[in-house]
Amino acid sequence: MEYYAVEINPLPLDMDFSSFYEALYQITIPTDEDGEMFVVSTKEEQEELADYFNEMDLLVAKHTLVKVENAEVEPIFYDYGFKAREYYLYKDIVTSFHIVEGEPIQIEMALLQIQEDLLAFSNKEDVKEYYINKELQPLIQGYADAYKIVVHF
């Protein structure tokens, strides 16, 4: 499921924080937040928040996100996403895949190669979903071909 975020500049120290959040919560209640990042579940909520923050001259950027369920993250993860209460990756720069077929030893060997390129993985309904930089998809497919395993992106 996609999520959406609005990133803002740090709030000025002289700002009335209670008024800020009161007005924010009249627009929408974010599903998650982390400092300057407010996560919502619809594009419409994102647009409303962006308009609100833009009027206050706080808007930095809007992002489409992928929520990583039951996340196990690698140190490089934070170059591609962030953690609030949950883990999120920026959808425009990542892709995911899962392994659907292969001999167990071949899968294990492929994963040893793939490990150095992983951002995160999650266990979803007994299937591990692996997240990588989108530009590395051909490399991962090459590993899959070399180890005679099948991956689906």
Side-chain angles (χ1 to χ4, degrees), residues 51-106:
D51 290 345
Y52 170 64
F53 293 138
N54 196 40
E55 287 174 15
M56 299 178 71
D57 204 27
L58 293 173
L59 182 65
V60 171
K62 298 184 292 184
H63 305 282
T64 302
L65 307 173
V66 175
K67 181 177 164 184
V68 183
E69 305 278 346
N70 303 318
E72 298 280 337
V73 303
E74 300 297 330
I76 196 169
F77 171 89
Y78 297 97
D79 291 343
Y80 295 84
F82 64 95
K83 180 187 184 314
R85 286 186 301 272
E86 302 287 340
Y87 289 91
Y88 301 93
L89 288 163
Y90 301 110
K91 186 177 181 185
D92 60 332
I93 59 173
V94 302
T95 191
S96 67
F97 68 93
H98 58 278
I99 299 170
V100 295
E101 191 178 312
E103 295 294 322
I105 191 69
Q106 295 299 93

Side-chain angles (χ1 to χ4, degrees), residues 101-103 105-114 137-151 153:
E101 191 178 312
E103 295 294 322
I105 191 69
Q106 295 299 93
I107 291 171
E108 185 178 331
M109 297 302 289
L111 286 173
L112 284 173
Q113 289 267 246
I114 293 168
Q137 185 172 341
L139 177 65
I140 301 305
Q141 187 61 59
Y143 290 149
D145 294 345
Y147 288 99
K148 296 178 177 48
I149 66 172
V150 179
V151 296
F153 287 92

Side-chain angles (χ1 to χ4, degrees), residues 34-54:
D34 179 45
E36 290 83 37
M37 195 74 74
F38 294 87
V39 179
V40 293
S41 55
T42 69
K43 189 82 169 149
E44 294 75 24
E45 289 174 303
Q46 181 190 45
E47 291 302 324
E48 290 171 359
L49 280 183
D51 290 345
Y52 170 64
F53 293 138
N54 196 40

Side-chain angles (χ1 to χ4, degrees), residues 104-142:
I105 191 69
Q106 295 299 93
I107 291 171
E108 185 178 331
M109 297 302 289
L111 286 173
L112 284 173
Q113 289 267 246
I114 293 168
Q115 179 71 31
E116 57 193 65
D117 298 311
L118 281 182
L119 306 174
F121 67 88
S122 68
N123 290 307
K124 291 173 21 177
E125 301 170 15
D126 299 327
V127 175
K128 274 195 178 168
E129 193 77 18
Y130 299 94
Y131 295 86
I132 58 168
N133 176 325
K134 190 179 275 187
E135 294 177 0
L136 297 179
Q137 185 172 341
L139 177 65
I140 301 305
Q141 187 61 59

